[in-house]
């Protein structure tokens, strides 16, 4: 960095990123990676959502950085969904279906569904035996039928998805960023995704799962994304299966832990309701 064409005044860490303040502005400092081929590909496909290095050496890459305003996370996430959809639309192509991926997904999610069902069956039996269950335990038990409904639906959709997979000759692949968090998405004169080190060709779900997982505005985000790049029935079915699976909640018996458990369970149920709303709305179409 001693050969950088500017003087460094200070360093700071923002959202895990290292920023340097200089007389010429603020810049992002990253460990060196050879991303020239990635950036050239994006340029050739007229995708503007990246920034090239302004300086590089064997240790570090320096990127331009625009200091962000405080933005509403929902609005920012919605804008990010449009960015991802645009990238996917401009890089989409069909390739022969990957039978190994399909078999692996089916086996992995069959096992996940089986293990989560057994886990929550055992938890219900244990908690129903408590003479004085905590508020979090009571709240969980009152709504636990939602968990088993989601797991049962996921199992049915997984069978449907696997059957559909036997009949399709091709799958869609797109160029996925695979690091598309809000922290890595800068909005300014140009929208920029900061991290392209994990980018590769894959199913659009690789980005969508990162974008949608854990959000309580699932339906709105998915509709915004699909207004630009619509998923195929096969892709959407796979997305439903992934989204239906609940978190694994573990209870601890203390006042502080019980309050934390209550919040986790409440948030999980809210996300599950949001997801099922999205699923139900799409079934009406």
């Amino acid at each position: 960095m001693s050969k950088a064409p500017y003087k460094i005044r200070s360093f700071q860490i923002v959202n895990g990123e290292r920023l340097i303040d200089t007389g010429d502005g603020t810049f992002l400092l990253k460990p060196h990676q050879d991303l020239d081929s990635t950036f050239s590909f994006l340029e050739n496909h007229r995708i503007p959502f990246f920034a090239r290095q302004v300086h590089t050496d064997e240790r570090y890459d320096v990127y331009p950085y625009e200091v962000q305003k405080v933005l509403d996370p929902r609005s920012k996430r919605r804008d990010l969904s449009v960015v991802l959809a645009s990238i996917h639309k401009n890089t989409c192509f069909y390739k022969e279906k990957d039978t190994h991926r399909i078999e692996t997904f089916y086996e992995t999610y069959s096992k996940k569904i089986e293990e989560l069902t057994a886990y929550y069956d055992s938890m219900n039996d244990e908690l129903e035996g408590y003479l004085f269950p905590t508020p979090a335990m009571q709240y969980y038990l009152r709504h636990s039928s939602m968990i088993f409904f989601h797991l049962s639906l996921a199992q049915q959709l997984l069978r449907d998805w696997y059957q559909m997979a036997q009949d399709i000759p091709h799958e869609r692949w797109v160029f996925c960023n695979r690091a598309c968090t809000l922290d890595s998405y800068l909005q300014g004169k140009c929208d920029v995704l900061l991290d392209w080190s994990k980018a590769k060709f894959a199913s659009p779900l690789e980005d969508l799962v990162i974008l949608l997982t854990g959000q309580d505005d699932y339906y709105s985000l998915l509709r915004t994304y699909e207004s630009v790049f619509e998923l195929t029935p096969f892709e959407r079915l796979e997305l439903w299966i992934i989204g239906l699976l609940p978190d694994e909640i573990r209870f601890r018996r203390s006042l502080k832990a019980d309050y934390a458990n209550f919040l986790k369970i409440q948030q999980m149920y809210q996300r599950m309701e949001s997801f099922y709303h999205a699923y139900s709305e799409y079934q009406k179409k």
Side-chain angles (χ1 to χ4, degrees):
M1 288 300 298
S2 59
K3 297 181 181 179
Y6 37 69
K7 293 183 179 179
I8 298 174
R9 294 176 175 174
S10 64
F11 287 85
Q12 59 177 318
I13 306 294
V14 177
N15 296 325
E17 301 285 3
R18 287 179 290 183
L19 303 182
I20 54 175
D21 182 44
T22 76
D24 296 313
T26 302
F27 297 87
L28 175 67
L29 184 67
K30 283 181 169 290
H32 174 67
Q33 289 184 304
D34 184 4
L35 295 175
D36 284 347
S37 60
T38 296
F39 294 155
S40 294
F41 172 84
L42 295 172
E43 285 177 339
N44 290 338
H45 284 77
R46 298 182 179 180
I47 295 171
F49 309 115
F50 71 98
R52 279 193 178 272
Q53 307 96 323
V54 295
H55 176 76
T56 187
D57 58 31
E58 68 278 2
R59 295 180 60 198
Y60 295 108
D61 296 326
V62 181
Y63 294 88
Y65 183 90
E66 187 174 342
V67 178
Q68 294 290 284
K69 299 177 182 178
V70 178
L71 300 170
D72 171 41
R74 282 177 178 265
S75 298
K76 188 176 182 182
R77 193 174 288 108
R78 185 170 58 248
D79 293 342
L80 176 56
S81 72
V82 173
V83 167
L84 294 174
S86 299
I87 296 169
H88 295 171
K89 182 178 181 179
N90 288 340
T91 60
C92 175
F93 68 97
Y94 285 84
K95 63 172 291 185
E96 186 176 351
K97 69 180 177 184
D98 185 341
T99 55
H100 176 70
R101 185 194 81 82
I102 289 170
E103 292 294 335
T104 300
F105 182 88
Y106 181 76
E107 292 171 6
T108 299
Y109 276 82
S110 290
K111 184 177 181 181
K112 282 185 177 182
I113 293 168
E114 181 181 346
E115 290 176 345
L116 283 167
T117 301
Y119 175 78
Y120 279 109
D121 267 333
S122 176
M123 178 179 287
N124 276 24
D125 290 342
E126 179 182 349
L127 297 185
E128 287 170 355
Y130 277 64
L131 186 59
F132 300 107
T134 68
M137 293 175 182
Q138 295 178 52
Y139 182 75
Y140 160 78
L141 288 169
R142 284 199 302 271
H143 298 84
S144 62
S145 60
M146 186 190 305
I147 291 175
F148 294 101
F149 174 75
H150 276 230
L151 288 169
S152 176
L153 179 59
Q155 184 66 69
Q156 179 58 54
L157 295 183
L158 182 61
R159 288 193 289 265
D160 295 344
W161 176 86
Y162 188 69
Q163 183 60 49
M164 188 183 295
Q166 310 311 307
D167 301 327
I168 62 169
H170 302 97
E171 292 182 86
R172 289 197 310 183
W173 282 54
V174 301
F175 197 60
C176 290
N177 174 266
R178 300 176 69 238
C180 45
T181 63
L182 287 191
D183 289 343
S184 71
Y185 172 47
L186 296 186
Q187 292 180 292
K189 295 177 182 177
C190 297
D191 288 2
V192 171
L193 289 166
L194 295 176
D195 188 356
W196 287 93
S197 62
K198 300 176 183 177
K200 72 173 188 178
F201 288 103
S203 163
L205 301 191
E206 293 236 3
D207 280 343
L208 266 180
V209 169
I210 296 172
L211 175 73
L212 297 173
T213 296
Q215 303 308 315
D216 59 6
D217 54 347
Y218 203 105
Y219 179 63
S220 174
L221 281 172
L222 186 55
R223 284 291 302 274
T224 301
Y225 173 90
E226 289 204 275
S227 68
V228 178
F229 185 67
E230 188 171 3
L231 296 178
T232 66
F234 183 69
E235 291 164 347
R236 197 177 295 121
L237 197 54
E238 188 172 329
L239 184 64
W240 297 145
I241 295 162
I242 296 170
L244 278 166
L245 299 194
D247 302 331
E248 189 175 291
I249 300 293
R250 296 187 179 276
F251 288 96
R252 296 180 181 177
R253 291 185 67 85
S254 74
L255 186 61
K256 183 177 180 180
D258 191 63
Y259 179 69
N261 284 335
F262 184 90
L263 292 179
K264 286 181 182 178
I265 296 165
Q266 185 182 54
Q267 291 166 0
M268 181 179 74
Y269 284 146
Q270 287 172 347
R271 292 195 300 269
M272 291 173 75
E273 287 176 346
S274 173
F275 177 85
Y276 188 71
H277 169 69
Y279 171 77
S280 299
E281 289 298 314
Y282 270 87
Q283 303 318 299
K284 297 176 184 177
K285 296 182 178 182

